[in-house]
């Protein structure tokens, strides 16, 4: 509670297990799906939603816009989510 009577609510999500999972998939060479497609990334939903919000977008916007998803995947700050690290 702030002195002026207002309060700030902060949502926190622990995505460390999901990040460790993505890194393990990369390290173990699981770069393809069973259908032969590239397994590009393993992204925690709260992380992608926060990234979108900082850009004035929503999670749904990113899921429907290949350009936004590519921007997320190519952002060096998000490289820890990448499983297959080749050129998109």
């Amino acid at each position: 509670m702030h002195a002026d009577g207002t309060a700030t609510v902060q949502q926190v999500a622990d995505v460390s297990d999901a990040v460790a999972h993505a890194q393990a998939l990369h390290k173990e060479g699981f770069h393809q799906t069973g259908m032969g497609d590239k397994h590009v990334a393993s992204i925690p939903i709260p992380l992608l939603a926060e990234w979108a919000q900082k850009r004035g977008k929503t999670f749904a916007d990113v899921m429907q816009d290949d350009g936004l998803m590519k921007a997320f995947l190519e952002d060096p700050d998000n490289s820890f989510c990448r499983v297959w690290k080749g050129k998109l």
Side-chain angles (χ1 to χ4, degrees):
M1 190 74 117
H2 302 285
D4 64 359
T6 62
T8 301
V9 177
Q10 179 181 11
Q11 181 178 349
V12 178
D14 181 1
V15 297
S16 57
D17 288 343
V19 170
H21 177 70
Q23 292 171 340
L25 289 172
H26 170 71
K27 183 179 177 183
E28 294 170 19
F30 291 105
H31 303 146
Q32 281 190 313
T33 67
M35 303 278 296
D37 297 320
K38 296 294 184 198
H39 185 168
V40 176
S42 181
I43 307 166
I45 292 172
L47 180 71
L48 188 58
E50 179 183 349
W51 182 88
Q53 184 180 30
K54 288 178 180 176
R55 287 153 183 79
K57 303 291 183 179
T58 65
F59 175 81
D61 292 334
V62 178
M63 297 308 297
Q64 295 173 5
D65 184 332
D66 290 342
L68 281 173
M69 180 60 80
K70 186 174 180 181
F72 175 87
L73 293 169
E74 290 182 339
D75 185 335
D77 290 340
N78 302 321
S79 65
F80 58 88
C81 294
R82 294 286 301 268
V83 175
W84 176 72
K85 300 203 184 224
K87 184 171 172 49
L88 297 175

